[in-house]
Amino acid sequence: GEDEIKAVEDEINAYRLERAEDRIRTYPNDTLIRYEAAVVYWDLGNVEKALEQFQLAQRNPHKRLYAIAYLGRCFAAKEQYDMAIEQFEKAVKEMPTMDEAKMETVYHLGITYDMIGEAEKALACFKDIYAVNVGYEDVGKRIDDYYAKKRAEKQKA
C-alpha cells in the first residue's frame, strides 16, 4: 500500500542523497555535480543545503540560470521574499524565450509577488505565461481570481 510506496521512495531518496554527497566529496570543483546535489536536497526539503549547493552551482554555465531560479525558490521557502524576487528577476532577464524553464521561473516570481501583496506585478507575470500557454499550472484561475476581486472592489465602492 501507501506505506510501501513511501518506504521505497525514502530508500531511493536516501540513495540519491548518498550518491550526491559521495560525488561532491570526489569532485568538489564540479559545478554540475553541485547542481545535481542541490536538486536532491531541494526535493528532500533541505532548503539550507540546497541553497548552499545552488550558490556554488551558479558557476556552471549550462546550469547557471536554473541554479539562480532555484535560489529564488529557496529564498521564497525561507520567506525572504525580497531576495527571492531579486534572483527570479535576474534569471528571467537572461532567459531569451518563454520556454518551460522561463515559464516556471516567471510563475514562481508571480507567486512571490502575490505573497507580498503585489497583485499587479503578480498579474503581469501570470499574463506573460498565459499569452503563450493558457493551460500552464493555475495561471488561468489566478488571472480570473484577480479580475473577480477587482469587480468585487468596484461594486463595494
Side-chain angles (χ1 to χ4, degrees):
E2 262 176 50
D3 289 348
E4 285 166 22
I5 293 170
K6 176 94 177 77
V8 171
E9 281 174 356
D10 288 349
E11 212 172 295
I12 291 168
N13 284 330
Y15 172 76
R16 282 176 68 203
L17 188 61
E18 192 182 321
R19 196 157 168 269
E21 289 178 340
D22 253 357
R23 291 175 69 200
I24 285 174
R25 276 190 294 275
T26 313
Y27 309 103
N29 301 321
D30 188 323
T31 52
L32 182 61
I33 287 171
R34 295 281 181 180
Y35 178 83
E36 288 164 357
V39 173
V40 173
Y41 285 128
W42 174 260
D43 289 347
L44 297 178
N46 190 334
V47 177
E48 291 301 327
K49 282 201 164 169
L51 186 62
E52 193 184 321
Q53 297 302 326
F54 282 126
Q55 282 177 330
L56 295 166
Q58 284 183 88
R59 298 189 198 127
N60 185 294
H62 304 293
K63 292 296 182 185
R64 183 171 169 274
L65 296 177
Y66 297 102
I68 294 169
Y70 263 118
L71 282 173
R73 293 174 71 177
C74 289
F75 288 127
K78 290 166 62 84
E79 295 179 16
Q80 295 167 342
Y81 300 121
D82 53 338
M83 288 166 78
I85 287 167
E86 231 169 78
Q87 299 296 323
F88 290 137
E89 286 185 336
K90 185 158 88 179
V92 167
K93 219 182 343 208
E94 289 184 47
M95 293 172 165
T97 51
M98 189 57 98
D99 59 5
E100 193 61 35
K102 186 168 185 172
M103 266 188 267
E104 192 177 345
T105 308
V106 172
Y107 179 74
H108 286 289
L109 176 60
I111 287 175
T112 308
Y113 275 134
D114 247 354
M115 300 296 271
I116 60 168
E118 291 270 8
E120 303 288 328
K121 287 183 177 174
L123 179 71
C125 291
F126 300 135
K127 278 178 161 177
D128 281 350
I129 296 167
Y130 198 73
V132 293
N133 183 348
V134 295
Y136 190 83
E137 297 287 344
D138 60 351
V139 288
K141 186 187 178 312
R142 285 177 177 274
I143 291 170
D144 291 344
D145 290 350
Y146 173 87
Y147 287 114
K149 201 172 151 194
K150 279 281 173 235
R151 282 194 298 275
E153 284 166 12
K154 261 203 196 99
Q155 282 160 3
K156 262 187 248 160

